[in-house]
Structure formats: structure tokens, C-alpha cells
Amino acid sequence: MTQRKKTGFQDVRNEVLRRIEDRHWPQGALLPTELELAAEFGCARATVNRALRELADRGIIDRKRKSGTRVAMTPVKQAKLDIAVVRQQIEEINATYRYALVMRQQITAPAWLASQVGLQADAQVLHLHCMHYADNRPFQFEERWINIAAVPEVGEADFKAVGPNEWLLSEMPFSNAEITFLAIAANDQMSEFLTCPPGAPLFQMERTTWFQQQPVTFVRMTFHPGYRMSTQY
Amino acid sequence: MTQRKKTGFQDVRNEVLRRIEDRHWPQGALLPTELELAAEFGCARATVNRALRELADRGIIDRKRKSGTRVAMTPVKQAKLDIAVVRQQIEEINATYRYALVMRQQITAPAWLASQVGLQADAQVLHLHCMHYADNRPFQFEERWINIAAVPEVGEADFKAVGPNEWLLSEMPFSNAEITFLAIAANDQMSEFLTCPPGAPLFQMERTTWFQQQPVTFVRMTFHPGYRMSTQY
DNA sequence: CAGTGGTCTAGACCACGGT
DNA sequence: CCGTGGTCTAGACCACTGG
């Protein structure tokens, strides 16, 4: 008896994955049916189903009723990006985090913002400038607009001690969002706050957040020169 | 009878999600056990389990044996990024794709590359420069190194008609990779190929790919000025 | 129409981790 | 110890879709 444990869905998943990597099942190949695999591995069809469903979620295989399961033609098409709060990012590299509020004012939403997130022309928004430091060196410049109608309590928050990102996270338990990444040239303001020459290339991330169809906030985060965002898959 | 269908795992998932959004279950709150939820929804525990497992995968809730299930303190921390092949990206915007090989030569891996991907100092690599155009306007400049030991067949490929990315995809059914995003200033070569002033800020993506622990390729993709990479979550 | 995946069930045992 | 989630099973019915 060399086998102590039963065949689990992870065993099935890994073995199927191995056969795909080995090209035992090349791209586009038709896999055995769930029933056949269950028989081969000596487990229930539900176990095979879960294994294959995970691979399908990861884009490794394509499944269609009646047609069966095939190895995907373009393997690995998704990467997961961890969207960390700035403070976490900084603490993870063992640096000391410091936050500073630069500006806070209530304004009528500018036209570009209203159109960007879908606001009425006369909507009131809170406009903020913040800085985040790692070991007292500039890490990220944050420019944010908050839809006051969506978050009335924001009027009470002065954001002097805690940044708007963390404040909103504790007020808005869940929401959907759109993120954009791009490269920009430092303008005079960025140059000053991030201590880099004007025109220096900077990595920027924009995010619009909605809560139940209603726009909540739009934020533009500009990172220090040389910042790199990494992930694996 | 207003109810035609049974309660499915999606119904459970959506209802739980709704209660979290409503803050009926605020951040950190302890949810009922699977058994209790199954009783409430009138379904099997396995159904509740699958619903909650999906939410846990998405980072919405945290589950621990014995302790139970809690609403996560930092909701939504992952975004899925679709990593498309350049040609697909271009065709998706209804533009005509054109590819051109700029340079192809076999060299000994430079020290920085060997250390970057983990190669022996004297490893032979194929070094390529390619351009990708959308409607004949520069879209992406691709600089790539391929580990010949990992992909011996690469010696046969001239890459004049089909780009190395698509060629490798058809040769390497699956692999794991590391991606990095950053902003750079256009050097003279970029400036020339992407038709932008030297020093212009450009969005760049680097990717290292392994196949069964062996480094396969390292690629640096530089996009045209103004390029934005977007995703939702 | 019939084959294949999609999902549900009721019950069971296991593994982790507070108490 | 023992409650809670993690997983498996054997069987069932449904839904989509290719022939």
C-alpha cells in the first residue's frame, strides 16, 4: 500500500495540468469526459468537475456542453493584481509610513470629472491632495475627488490624520471599480512633491469606484520615479 | 407559487453579497455557519459552501475552521488583468495589425539578463527587436531575449512573418511568469520607432516566463505614447 | 435526440484550531 | 475536546448544443 490518501480534486487538477504541460494533451486537444477521468482516477465525477472547473476559471482549458473539454489555444490570459493600500505597500518593504494632507476643498465637479464618472453637472465634490511617504521619502502623490452625495459623512472627516483611501475603505465595505495604468510626464506640482525633474516619466494609476451604481470617488495616484508594479501568474 | 427554481449557489452568493453591501453584516462581522445558512436558504450545505468559497476566493470574506466566516476587513484587493496578445489588442479596437521584425541575432546572454532570469553566464540567447503597428501607426516596440537551451527549435524560426510572442505561445503550452509595469523615458531608439520626442513618458511592461523551472524568455514591451491599460473589478 | 458539462443533494469523514 | 469549514461520494436532474 503506497497510497495513504484518496485522490482529491487537487491531485486531479495537478495531474491534468501536468499532462497539458507535457503536451500529452496539446493545445486544442479534446480531454476525456468527466466520467472517464473519474473512472481513471478512481474518484467521483464531482471531484473531477471541481478540478476541471478551476482550470477553466484560470483559462487553461475551455469547456462546452456536448462538445467536451479542450486545452485552450491561448494559455494563461489573466494575471491577478493585488491592489494594496499604500500604507500596506510601504510597510511590506519595512519602511516607515507617513501621510500628509496637502489640500482639502469642496467644489462643484469640473466638467471632465462629471463626464468621467457620470455625475450631474452641479454635483458637489470634495477635492483632496495627499502625500504618502516611505521613510520620509516621497512615495505617492494622491489626487482625489469624492462625490459628497454618495458619502455625506465625508463632510465630517478632515483627513488630517487618516488618508481618504483608508477612510473610504472603512465606510464603503464593497464596491466595483475601474482601474487604469499609464505613464505621464511630471508637471511642476508632481516634480515638487515627488522631488524629480519636470518631465520625468512617472507611473500613474487611476481608479473610479462605484457603490451600487453610484459614483463614489475618482483617484489619481502618481508614484515616485522608478516605481515598478509587479505580479506573478 | 412565485418560486419556480430552486435556490442555487449563485442565489446564495448574491444574497450574502447583498447583505455585506447593505452592511447588514459589516466588516469583521461573523456570518452564520454553513449549516445555518443552508437551513435559511433551504438548500444543501454543499451549495452554501460553494457560494462562500467563491466569495472567499474573491477576498470578500475570510474563513477559518472553528472560528467561522467573517467579512474581510479590507474588501476587494485583487483585480484580474487580461494579458492579451498584441495582435488581439489591436484587432479588438478594429484596427489593422501589422508586424515587422527589426533585428534578430544570437548572442551570449549579457550579465544583467543572466542574473535577471537565472541563466548561466555563457548561455546562448536569441535577441530580437520587433515592431507592432495598428493601422500603420506604431503601437508597441518589443525587445525580447529567448533562452535557446530551453527552446532549441527557436533556431529554425526566422520570425519574419510571425512574431516571437505568438510563436512561443504555440510552442510553450503553459508556463508561469512574472510581469512588471513601469514608466520610462523614451530613448533615441524608442523615440524613432514610436515616433515621439526623446524623453517622452512611455508605458512599459516586462515579462519573464519559465517553463518547468527553466527560464524561457524575457521581453520588454514599450507602448506608444498615451497608451492606457485598463481593467475592472 | 442524445451526449456532455452544470449543479444540487444528503450524508459522511477529515483537519484544523479555539477552549 | 468538539465545532466549523474542507472535501468526497453516489446519484440525480437540468441545460445547452452538436448532429
Side-chain angles (χ1 to χ4, degrees):
Chain A
M1 305 295 285
T2 54
Q3 277 209 173
R4 292 197 162 276
K5 301 192 342 173
K6 273 194 279 198
T7 308
F9 78 94
Q10 304 197 30
D11 301 311
V12 178
R13 170 170 42 66
N14 293 341
E15 175 59 18
V16 170
L17 202 48
R18 198 186 61 73
R19 291 186 192 174
I20 292 175
E21 291 186 357
D22 282 1
R23 310 208 212 164
H24 180 32
W25 290 325
Q27 286 177 68
L30 185 63
L31 269 58
T33 67
E34 296 189 342
L35 235 26
E36 290 166 341
L37 286 172
E40 179 194 338
F41 289 112
C43 63
R45 184 170 79 97
T47 305
V48 173
N49 180 276
R50 177 160 175 196
L52 295 185
R53 183 153 37 80
E54 283 199 5
L55 293 177
D57 286 344
R58 286 158 58 175
I60 313 267
I61 57 179
D62 290 326
R63 319 196 70 192
K64 261 191 296 194
R65 284 158 157 136
K66 171 72 177 181
S67 317
T69 302
R70 289 181 181 282
V71 180
M73 294 305 288
T74 60
V76 186
K77 38 187 174 190
Q78 298 183 332
K80 282 198 299 187
L81 258 192
D82 288 332
I83 306 297
V85 177
V86 191
R87 182 161 58 81
Q88 289 177 354
Q89 280 187 67
I90 290 174
E91 287 170 349
E92 272 169 17
I93 55 174
N94 292 317
T96 303
Y97 172 68
R98 189 166 67 80
Y99 159 77
L101 176 66
V102 174
M103 188 208 71
R104 179 192 192 281
Q105 62 177 9
Q106 183 173 336
I107 58 170
T108 301
W112 68 266
L113 178 64
S115 103
Q116 160 96 23
V117 305
L119 277 174
Q120 291 182 28
D122 61 345
Q124 289 296 294
V125 295
L126 197 63
H127 184 196
L128 302 163
H129 286 180
C130 313
M131 273 299 297
H132 304 270
Y133 296 88
D135 284 343
N136 281 323
R137 288 183 296 105
F139 186 86
Q140 183 195 92
F141 178 77
E142 173 183 356
E143 185 169 19
R144 184 183 289 270
W145 293 261
I146 303 175
N147 177 16
I148 295 180
V151 201
E153 317 90 282
V154 84
E156 313 294 313
D158 63 9
F159 296 119
K160 282 177 182 159
V162 57
N165 199 349
E166 297 188 57
W167 186 87
L168 281 166
L169 274 178
S170 66
E171 297 293 317
M172 305 260 101
F174 181 74
S175 46
N176 67 310
E178 178 176 337
I179 308 187
T180 299
F181 304 95
L182 66 158
I184 60 144
N187 60 23
D188 289 344
Q189 190 180 40
M190 307 290 183
S191 159
E192 194 178 337
F193 279 103
L194 297 171
T195 55
C196 62
L202 299 173
F203 185 83
Q204 195 172 67
M205 170 167 133
E206 293 180 355
R207 181 169 52 195
T208 309
T209 307
W210 290 268
F211 182 59
Q212 295 168 343
Q213 338 304 348
Q214 190 179 26
V216 172
T217 183
F218 173 73
V219 59
R220 210 176 255 153
M221 289 159 281
T222 312
F223 291 83
H224 67 272
Y227 176 77
R228 301 165 69 93
M229 183 179 73
S230 287
T231 187
Q232 300 197 345
Y233 68 74
Chain B
M1 305 297 285
T2 54
Q3 275 208 175
R4 293 196 160 276
K5 303 194 336 172
K6 274 193 279 195
T7 309
F9 78 94
Q10 304 197 29
D11 302 310
V12 178
R13 174 176 31 73
N14 294 340
E15 175 59 18
V16 171
L17 202 48
R18 199 188 61 72
R19 291 185 192 175
I20 292 175
E21 291 186 356
D22 282 1
R23 311 209 214 163
H24 182 272
W25 290 325
Q27 286 178 67
L30 185 63
L31 270 58
T33 67
E34 295 188 343
L35 235 28
E36 289 167 341
L37 285 172
E40 178 194 338
F41 289 112
C43 63
R45 184 171 78 99
T47 305
V48 173
N49 181 276
R50 176 160 177 195
L52 295 186
R53 183 152 38 80
E54 283 200 4
L55 293 176
D57 286 343
R58 285 157 58 176
I60 314 268
I61 58 179
D62 290 326
R63 319 196 70 194
K64 260 192 295 194
R65 284 160 158 136
K66 172 70 178 181
S67 317
T69 302
R70 291 179 180 280
V71 180
M73 294 305 287
T74 60
V76 187
K77 40 185 175 190
Q78 296 185 332
K80 282 199 298 188
L81 259 191
D82 289 331
I83 307 297
V85 177
V86 190
R87 183 161 58 80
Q88 290 178 353
Q89 280 186 68
I90 290 174
E91 287 169 351
E92 272 168 16
I93 56 173
N94 292 317
T96 304
Y97 172 68
R98 188 166 70 79
Y99 159 79
L101 176 66
V102 174
M103 189 208 71
R104 178 194 193 280
Q105 62 177 10
Q106 181 173 338
I107 58 170
T108 301
W112 67 266
L113 178 65
S115 101
Q116 161 95 23
V117 305
L119 276 174
Q120 292 181 29
D122 60 345
Q124 288 297 295
V125 296
L126 198 62
H127 185 195
L128 302 164
H129 286 180
C130 314
M131 273 298 298
H132 305 270
Y133 297 88
D135 283 342
N136 281 322
R137 287 182 297 104
F139 185 85
Q140 182 195 93
F141 178 78
E142 172 183 357
E143 186 169 19
R144 183 182 289 270
W145 292 262
I146 303 175
N147 176 16
I148 294 180
V151 202
E153 316 91 284
V154 84
E156 314 294 312
D158 63 10
F159 297 119
K160 283 177 182 159
V162 58
N165 199 350
E166 298 188 57
W167 185 88
L168 281 168
L169 274 178
S170 68
E171 297 292 317
M172 304 261 100
F174 180 77
S175 47
N176 66 309
E178 177 176 338
I179 308 186
T180 299
F181 304 96
L182 65 159
I184 60 144
N187 60 22
D188 289 343
Q189 188 181 42
M190 307 289 185
S191 159
E192 193 179 337
F193 279 103
L194 297 171
T195 56
C196 61
L202 298 173
F203 185 83
Q204 196 173 67
M205 169 167 136
E206 293 180 354
R207 180 169 53 194
T208 309
T209 307
W210 289 269
F211 181 59
Q212 295 168 344
Q213 338 306 347
Q214 189 178 26
V216 172
T217 182
F218 173 73
V219 58
R220 210 176 253 153
M221 290 159 281
T222 311
F223 290 84
H224 67 273
Y227 176 77
R228 301 165 68 93
M229 183 179 72
S230 286
T231 187
Q232 300 196 345
Y233 69 74

